[in-house]
Structures are given as structure tokens and as C-alpha cells.
Amino acid sequence: MINDFEIAQKMEEFNYEMKRWTKKFFKNYFTNSNLEATPSQYPLLFILKEHGPVKMKELSEHMNITTGSLTVMVDRLIEKKLVERFFLPEDRRVVMVRLTEKGYDEINNFRKVFIDYIVDKVKDLSDKEKEELIYCLDFIREKVLKK
């Protein structure tokens, strides 16, 4: 009988392997593609895509980094014309960040590269294995990540 501790250990191992796999993906594909953002900048772009314009303070909380580190990252993304900074007209002390059209294009390009990579990895799985993989991914998302 499997206990909860064993499941937690397997999830920890899986998390570690996913981080290694993601790092390998970024290393291989960022050097061989026309993507402009760095691997550490993509979470910021995806947050902006998901939530629309966001206050710098809220963005730093989403990213779990200091506002100082975030400012450096945003400045670099502004230089690449992927995001823009603006102030709320009603309170100019509030600094906001949003994606530019080029930023949206960057995310779409990234998704294409990433999806193509995954398709290449799963293309040789049998239909049964693909169904099992989808089931497992959905199960983890619904039962573990959303709790």
C-alpha cells in the first residue's frame, strides 16, 4: 500500500526532473531560435498575458522576486520592446507594466517552439500511452495543483 509520504517523495522527484528538463529545453532551444526574452523573463511575460496590465508591486509578488530585481528585468524587456511601463492617470505613484504587441508575438513564438518540442517528444508514444499521459497531467493539475 502506498502512503502519502511516498506520493510526496515522487512529486518532489518529478518536480526536480521537470526543472532539469526545462533547463535543458531552454538551453537547447533558446540558443537555436529567434526568441528574444531569456528563460527567466518568460514567466513575467506570461503573467502579463494572463492578467493584463499589472502593478509592479503585484508583479513582484507573482514572480516572488524583489521590486528591485523586477525593475532590472522590466528595464531589459523595455529595451527589447516586449513590455512597457506606464503610470495610472489617477495616481502617478502607481507604476504599471503591460505587454506590447511585440511581447504578445514573443509569447506566441515561444509557445510554438515549446509545442513543437513537446510534439517531437511524444510523437512515438502509442495512443494508449498518450491517453494515459493526458489523464495523468489532468489528474495532477486538478487534484494536486489546484488544491
Side-chain angles (χ1 to χ4, degrees):
M1 178 180 226
I2 296 176
N3 66 36
D4 294 346
F5 184 76
E6 289 175 280
I7 293 171
Q9 285 181 311
K10 286 291 182 187
M11 288 293 295
E12 177 189 35
E13 292 168 9
F14 179 76
N15 184 49
Y16 174 75
E17 291 299 322
M18 281 300 298
K19 286 180 181 178
R20 283 187 35 195
W21 179 84
T22 302
K23 187 175 183 178
K24 182 180 175 183
F25 164 77
F26 279 126
K27 182 179 179 189
N28 289 338
Y29 279 80
F30 274 76
T31 55
N32 299 320
S33 71
N34 62 350
L35 297 171
E36 291 191 48
T38 66
S40 61
Q41 293 169 338
Y42 274 96
L44 185 148
L45 297 178
F46 278 101
I47 289 168
L48 293 175
K49 182 178 187 253
E50 176 105 1
H51 298 286
V54 178
K55 294 177 185 176
M56 284 285 285
K57 183 170 175 49
E58 291 172 3
L59 192 53
S60 72
E61 290 168 3
H62 275 291
M63 301 264 316
N64 199 26
I65 61 175
T66 65
T67 51
S69 296
L70 179 63
T71 298
V72 171
M73 186 182 292
V74 168
D75 287 345
R76 289 185 179 144
L77 289 168
I78 288 171
E79 289 173 13
K80 296 175 184 179
K81 298 180 177 26
L82 298 175
V83 303
E84 58 189 6
R85 186 184 289 124
F86 65 100
F87 301 94
L88 290 179
E90 63 272 11
D91 186 352
R92 295 202 35 87
R93 295 172 295 173
V94 178
V95 181
M96 303 287 290
V97 181
R98 67 178 157 223
L99 281 176
T100 62
E101 202 57 44
K102 186 177 177 184
Y104 281 104
D105 291 344
E106 180 75 5
I107 288 173
N108 291 334
N109 290 338
F110 171 82
R111 288 198 76 231
K112 183 185 179 333
V113 168
F114 188 76
I115 297 290
D116 289 349
Y117 180 76
I118 300 298
V119 166
D120 187 56
K121 292 293 183 185
V122 300
K123 70 181 177 194
D124 294 329
L125 296 177
S126 69
D127 286 344
K128 183 177 182 339
E129 289 171 323
K130 290 175 184 179
E131 288 174 14
E132 289 173 350
L133 180 57
I134 288 171
Y135 173 81
C136 290
L137 294 170
D138 288 341
F139 184 87
I140 290 168
R141 185 176 45 251
E142 291 299 318
K143 301 291 185 181
V144 178
L145 299 179
K146 288 194 176 182
K147 281 191 170 186

